Amino acid sequence: MWSRQDGLVAAGAAALDLVGFTITSQMDQGRVPVAGCLVTVAAALLLLARRRAPLAILAGVLAVNLSLGWLSSVGQHYGAATVVALYTVIRHHRPAVGAAAVAGCVVAIQFVRPAAVAPSAVELAANVASALFVVGTAIAVGHWQRNAEAQRQLLAERAVAEERRRVARELHDIVAHHLTTMQLLAGGARANLDRSPETAREALVTLEGSGRTALREMRHLLDVLRAGDEDDGGETTSPQPGVGDLDRVVEDSRRAGLPTTLTTDGDPGTLPPGVALTVFRIVQEALTNSRKHAGPGAHVDVRLAFAAHEVRVAVTDAGPGRGHPAARGSGYGLMGMRERVALHGGSLRTGPEGEGFAVRARLPLPADRQETRA
């Protein structure tokens, strides 16, 4: 079967050859032979099957076009149908087969004539030049297509690598935050099991809720990864966490034994989903680091400032106390923060501040959001 593209190519070649044959016949003979027009169209129609049998179609096009010599006085030349057929052979066969096809075209067009008229050197030169032009075009197009395919492959590999990094960041943020919270709650429940069973029971209830939240976020991440699968049953995914979910994260931090305050300056309005998720993950990861490293008696202050052109996030803790400087690594959590902030063109500063540690981020807002807020 032939494709729509093959049909368009055949129609275009037929139109070009028919116009050329009509003009040449009118100039040479003063009339246009109907039989010659039919033969010209028939040669172009053979191109419908050019992909299935390139060599056979080239031979057929040459044979049909050469028969024009017995129907009119139009000289042999490289018509559009012949050019397309030869191009297809060069693109779909080995170089040796392509070279043989070029030589065959040159010989057939130059020497197969109904009249015993010796071909001129000018005609031979034009014949060879036309064949070489087709060869050069086929080689150039093939080189361009190979480069384009390599570029597409490279972009696809980069997209896959970026998606892997994104998934790794999400997994780290979810697992590290919730497991740290659950570990602290479990330790608190064990310590109060004999002295204060009610406190231990509350810690276990909170632990159960934190586990449910972790499972829910993991399911959401898996749903996103499975989006588009044929057997997903048309299930919809829940919204990504955002600024509105920070109260829950702060409350989890308090229940885990780390006094935490949340201060908001300005109206967040409707943040872009990517920015809202980044704000949530920065606060979540910063609180996770504080629970790991700040030590007992520390206090964490979370401040959010919403302006028309940017969002500022600051998470600071008081550290482990005098004489015990904070020791913070540069692990995957901080790396994930930097990558998230960089995606939005923002800036991130992390490091010791006083006896504690501070995470400060600035996220610019899109221009259309700034105009709306203004």
Side-chain angles (χ1 to χ4, degrees):
M1 290 296 294
W2 51 275
S3 65
R4 180 181 179 184
Q5 182 180 3
D6 293 329
L8 293 175
V9 170
L16 290 175
D17 285 348
L18 192 58
V19 170
F21 177 76
T22 301
I23 295 175
T24 305
S25 299
Q26 189 69 37
M27 293 175 61
D28 292 347
Q29 306 177 74
R31 65 184 182 86
V32 179
V34 177
C37 293
L38 295 177
V39 170
T40 300
V41 174
L45 290 178
L46 292 176
L47 297 177
L48 293 174
R50 64 190 179 93
R51 298 180 188 273
R52 290 187 294 173
L55 280 173
I57 295 303
L58 175 60
V61 170
L62 284 174
V64 174
N65 278 335
L66 290 175
S67 66
L68 285 175
W70 281 269
L71 300 175
S72 68
S73 61
V74 177
Q76 301 297 335
H77 63 283
Y78 279 88
T82 305
V83 169
V84 172
L86 179 59
Y87 171 86
T88 305
V89 171
I90 297 172
R91 291 285 291 116
H92 289 79
H93 286 280
R94 301 189 306 273
V97 177
V102 170
C105 284
V106 171
V107 171
I109 293 176
Q110 187 68 22
F111 298 103
V112 179
R113 297 166 180 258
V117 179
S120 65
V122 176
E123 290 178 338
L124 179 60
N127 189 359
V128 173
S130 299
L132 293 179
F133 175 78
V134 176
V135 172
T137 301
I139 294 175
V141 171
H143 181 70
W144 175 80
Q145 288 183 340
R146 286 191 296 272
N147 286 343
E149 182 61 29
Q151 186 67 17
R152 284 194 294 269
Q153 183 67 23
L154 179 61
L155 292 177
E157 292 175 356
R158 288 180 178 175
V160 170
E162 178 59 29
E163 183 64 13
R164 286 177 178 172
R165 287 193 293 269
R166 187 189 70 82
V167 172
R169 289 195 301 266
E170 292 292 331
L171 284 174
H172 176 273
D173 292 343
I174 294 172
V175 173
H177 170 74
H178 290 292
L179 285 186
T180 301
T181 301
M182 293 166 68
Q183 177 187 9
L184 294 174
L185 289 171
R190 178 181 56 80
N192 291 281
L193 189 60
D194 295 329
R195 293 179 301 174
S196 178
E198 183 62 23
T199 302
R201 188 186 71 81
E202 293 179 359
L204 290 175
V205 171
T206 305
L207 175 63
E208 181 182 11
S210 183
R212 287 200 192 96
T213 302
L215 286 175
R216 184 169 59 252
E217 293 192 18
M218 288 292 292
R219 287 196 193 99
H220 168 71
L221 182 59
L222 293 176
D223 288 341
V224 171
L225 294 177
R226 288 198 302 262
D229 288 352
E230 294 180 358
D231 56 347
D232 61 2
E235 296 180 358
T236 58
T237 58
S238 58
Q240 289 272 35
V243 177
D245 300 286
L246 289 179
D247 289 334
R248 170 178 57 81
V249 176
V250 170
E251 185 61 27
D252 288 344
S253 180
R254 292 170 183 160
R255 291 177 178 175
L258 183 65
T260 306
T261 59
L262 173 62
T263 305
T264 302
D265 181 16
D267 181 17
T270 305
L271 292 177
V275 175
L277 177 61
T278 299
V279 171
F280 177 85
R281 292 304 186 198
I282 290 174
V283 175
Q284 185 184 54
E285 179 60 28
L287 291 178
T288 300
N289 288 339
S290 295
R291 286 197 294 271
K292 287 181 180 178
H293 304 288
H299 177 274
V300 180
D301 183 25
V302 179
R303 294 181 178 273
L304 305 178
F306 301 96
H309 61 286
E310 66 179 9
V311 178
R312 291 184 177 270
V313 183
V315 182
T316 58
D317 64 61
R322 295 281 181 182
H324 299 83
R328 310 293 170 96
S330 57
Y332 293 110
L334 296 181
M335 291 173 56
M337 287 187 198
R338 292 191 180 94
E339 290 179 355
R340 290 180 183 278
V341 172
L343 286 176
H344 298 283
S347 60
L348 178 72
R349 292 189 297 108
T350 61
E353 190 170 292
E355 294 293 327
F357 197 83
V359 175
R360 301 182 184 276
R362 183 189 64 83
L363 297 169
L365 295 176
D368 54 351
R369 174 65 163 47
Q370 298 177 22
E371 294 174 358
T372 303
R373 290 288 299 270

